[in-house]
Amino acid sequence: MSFESLKPKASAILSNLDRTPMARLEAVCELLRSEITYYDWVGYYFANHQTKTLHLKAYAGDPTDHTVIPFGKGICGQVAVSNENFVVPDVKGQDNYIACSINVKSEIVIPLFKDGENIGQIDIDSHTVDPFTPEDEAFLTWINTQVSAIV
Ligand code: SME
């Protein structure tokens, strides 16, 4: 399904006041994982700025051991510090990387901002090498803007 046709579906999920914000977030993760062929795991980590750790709050895909990640560790932890998108075409090329599964070949992490503060991130793992384009970054940035309105 195209990014443009996914946007109204994501908006409908996120604006459903009958569900908790985290249930809506989980449903968005499942929408993206099921509709975009090369998105194999989709999750949201939220930052605790006191303890400088990221906490997994919603995801779709296989369960992961990495539910808490210190700032600076792995791709996710680096984005917590840099406040910038991180696209990894091939995880084999990364030294500071936390492997969740041997099947993961690539990863994209886009920070989630609320009122200008980096409060978390969307993290996507793919079993395909080098699948992510600037269109993925633009789409996921748009998704995060919608998400920031409900968290
Ligand atoms: N690979 C991530 C860890 C999280 S898992 O992908 C779910 C990282 O290096 O930060």
Side-chain angles (χ1 to χ4, degrees):
M1 193 177 290
S2 73
F3 291 139
E4 283 312 309
S5 55
L6 282 171
K7 285 182 177 181
K9 292 183 190 299
S11 291
I13 290 168
L14 290 170
S15 60
N16 180 357
L17 299 179
D18 292 338
R19 307 177 80 181
T20 65
M22 286 307 139
R24 286 178 255 164
L25 218 47
E26 197 173 278
V28 165
C29 291
E30 187 53 43
L31 174 76
L32 302 187
R33 195 198 61 81
S34 61
E35 295 295 342
I36 302 174
T37 53
Y38 53 94
Y39 287 11
D40 293 296
W41 188 93
V42 179
Y44 270 93
Y45 286 91
F46 284 84
N48 181 325
H49 290 280
Q50 274 71 50
T51 55
K52 297 197 184 308
T53 46
L54 292 164
H55 298 260
L56 183 64
K57 298 288 187 190
Y59 72 94
D62 292 339
T64 174
D65 290 340
H66 306 291
T67 55
V68 181
I69 298 175
F71 283 14
K73 301 277 186 198
I75 309 303
C76 296
Q78 292 178 75
V79 170
V81 176
S82 73
N83 306 321
E84 289 178 0
N85 297 352
F86 200 154
V87 181
V88 179
D90 187 343
V91 297
K92 277 191 281 186
Q94 295 295 316
D95 292 332
N96 189 356
Y97 167 70
I98 302 165
C100 278
S101 143
I102 53 161
N103 297 320
V104 175
K105 301 282 198 312
S106 57
E107 179 161 359
I108 184 170
V109 179
I110 307 290
L112 172 65
F113 296 102
K114 190 173 178 76
D115 302 327
E117 186 184 17
N118 181 352
I119 63 163
Q121 53 192 240
I122 187 169
D123 174 24
I124 296 170
D125 289 342
S126 176
H127 298 171
T128 304
V129 174
D130 199 11
F132 303 114
T133 70
E135 283 70 39
D136 291 273
E137 287 187 73
F139 172 65
L140 295 169
T141 300
W142 182 89
I143 291 278
N144 276 1
T145 304
Q146 309 304 304
V147 166
S148 75
I150 69 148
V151 293

